[in-house]
């Protein structure tokens, strides 16, 4: 009883109606990174139901194919690119072809991400952890946003970044790589917001709290804590994309 009340207060239920989604997204081109799992997969499924046209990006090709089959069965136009966003050659090639394939884009959800918990003292010979986390959580978001900027301008579009509320707090031990990459992305988005007049594209950030997904559930402690579902997190991102607010943050986040 106490736990469910506490969950209700800290994680008030989040939803968005299919009708509203349909009005906002039907027939629009939406690019989603990290579409194969967790929050990105939930986002993709809601947008399929809303009749959006989708361009899905992640590494798991089989999963992307299955989502594309679902989308086609619902009459959506859909394409995918199975790439490792940490690989600069693959990312560069994608950034080159994407604007030609999609000259007009309404929404770019930069959602692919990786979390890693390892203390700095345990990372002495692991510089690659910092490079990989930065490449995925920060660099791929910037590269795709830059590449798609003309298409987003054409589609009067916007970029929505999936950040973490933990990047707004005194930093927890062991999360230096993850928090540094999320903070770098936050700063880029906040600058893009201030440059909006010259940029011509709206940039938004969702500082999500804990969400139960394959990423967070590997941590036994988090697995048993109250949290949003992937579907609720998708509702938060979709609702944000339907407003002109710069950010979502939980009510309790100072
Ligand atoms: N879960 C939480 O509590 C929480 C809280 C705040 C913010 N977030 C953020 O939410 C976003 C989504 O995370 P999630 O919780 O939904 O995790 P998830 O279920 O593990 O999903 C991560 C997604 O990113 C993709 N991805 C990972 N590495 C990739 C790579 N190298 N190249 C291309 N795609 C890659 C994965 O696809 P493949 O494996 O198929 O490549 C997957 O689709 C992340 O940015 C995360 O930081 C999560």
């Amino acid at each position: 009883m106490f736990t469910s009340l506490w969950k209700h207060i800290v994680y008030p239920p989040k939803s968005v109606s299919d009708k509203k989604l349909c009005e906002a997204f039907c027939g629009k081109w939406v690019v989603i990174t990290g579409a194969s799992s967790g929050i990105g997969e939930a986002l993709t499924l809601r947008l399929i139901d809303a009749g959006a046209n989708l361009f899905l990006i992640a590494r798991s090709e089989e999963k992307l194919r299955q989502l594309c089959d679902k989308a086609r069965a619902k009459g959506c136009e859909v394409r995918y690119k199975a790439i490792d966003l940490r690989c600069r050659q693959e990312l560069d090639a994608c950034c080159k072809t994407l604007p030609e394939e999609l000259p007009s884009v309404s929404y770019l959800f930069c959602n692919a991400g990786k979390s890693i918990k390892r203390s700095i003292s345990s990372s002495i010979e692991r510089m690659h952890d910092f490079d990989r986390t930065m490449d995925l959580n920060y660099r791929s978001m910037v590269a795709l946003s830059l590449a798609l900027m003309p298409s987003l301008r054409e589609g009067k579009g916007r970029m929505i970044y999936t950040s973490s509320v933990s990047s707004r707090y005194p930093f927890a031990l062991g999360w230096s790589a993850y928090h540094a990459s999320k903070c770098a992305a936050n700063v880029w988005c906040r600058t893009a917001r201030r440059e909006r007049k010259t940029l011509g594209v709206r940039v938004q950030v969702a500082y999500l709290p804990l969400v139960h997904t394959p990423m967070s559930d590997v941590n036994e402690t988090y697995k048993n804590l109250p949290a949003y579902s992937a579907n609720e997190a998708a509702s938060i991102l979709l609702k944000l994309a339907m407003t002109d607010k710069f950010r979502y943050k939980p009510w309790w986040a100072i």
Side-chain angles (χ1 to χ4, degrees):
M1 167 72 180
F2 176 74
T3 314
S4 75
L5 182 66
W6 190 75
K7 173 171 191 260
H8 212 81
I9 293 170
V10 180
Y11 293 89
K14 297 288 174 189
S15 64
V16 56
S17 75
D18 285 341
K19 185 170 171 282
K20 281 205 172 135
L21 288 184
C22 202
E23 283 165 9
F25 294 95
C26 188
K28 303 271 174 68
W29 270 103
V30 183
V31 179
I32 304 172
T33 71
S36 64
S37 167
I39 299 165
E41 183 182 6
L43 195 58
T44 302
L45 292 170
R46 293 303 305 273
L47 287 169
I48 290 174
D49 285 339
N53 296 323
L54 297 170
F55 196 104
L56 308 178
I57 302 175
R59 289 167 303 179
S60 311
E61 185 156 18
E62 188 46 41
K63 190 70 207 219
L64 294 181
R65 274 211 199 108
Q66 288 168 11
L67 288 166
C68 286
D69 289 345
K70 272 193 188 147
R72 281 192 203 97
K74 290 261 186 178
C76 309
E77 225 185 296
V78 64
R79 296 173 207 169
Y80 75 85
K81 194 135 282 187
I83 56 166
D84 184 341
L85 288 168
R86 297 171 311 187
C87 169
R88 295 198 175 186
Q89 289 91 328
E90 289 182 33
L91 180 60
D92 285 352
C94 177
C95 287
K96 211 169 171 190
T97 54
L98 206 51
E100 292 156 20
E101 281 193 62
L102 299 179
S104 174
V105 171
S106 299
Y107 301 91
L108 165 62
F109 286 95
C110 286
N111 166 78
K114 171 194 169 64
S115 71
I116 174 167
K117 183 169 188 249
R118 182 165 289 123
S119 68
I120 297 173
S121 63
S122 308
S123 306
I124 302 302
E125 294 190 15
R126 297 187 62 90
M127 184 58 207
H128 56 270
D129 284 345
F130 296 90
D131 285 338
R132 287 175 186 164
T133 316
M134 200 57 126
D135 278 351
L136 180 61
N137 296 353
Y138 169 68
R139 193 177 182 280
S140 76
M141 176 277 286
V142 176
L144 286 170
S145 299
L146 295 179
L148 280 174
M149 208 53 85
S151 307
L152 286 166
R153 278 196 200 116
E154 184 61 34
K156 297 194 171 32
R158 53 181 71 200
M159 190 282 273
I160 305 99
Y161 180 65
T162 312
S163 190
S164 167
V165 77
S166 59
S167 63
R168 296 173 58 92
Y169 281 110
F171 300 118
L173 307 186
W175 294 93
S176 58
Y178 183 64
H179 286 156
S181 65
K182 288 292 186 193
C183 284
N186 295 347
V187 169
W188 192 89
C189 292
R190 282 160 54 193
T191 311
R193 178 202 190 190
R194 298 202 63 194
E195 292 182 8
R196 181 160 171 251
K197 270 201 186 129
T198 48
L199 202 57
V201 169
R202 191 178 292 280
V203 169
Q204 297 168 290
V205 186
Y207 298 106
L208 293 181
L210 186 62
V211 182
H212 284 308
T213 67
M215 179 194 286
S216 57
D217 284 354
V218 290
N219 184 317
E220 278 303 315
T221 316
Y222 292 163
K223 197 174 176 176
N224 297 311
L225 285 176
Y228 278 129
S229 66
N231 196 37
E232 285 180 300
S235 295
I236 290 171
L237 291 172
L238 290 163
K239 273 180 132 167
L240 180 65
M242 289 159 62
T243 69
D244 289 342
K245 286 183 192 157
F246 168 62
R247 65 173 186 202
Y248 158 84
K249 66 177 180 60
W251 65 265
W252 41 262
I254 301 159

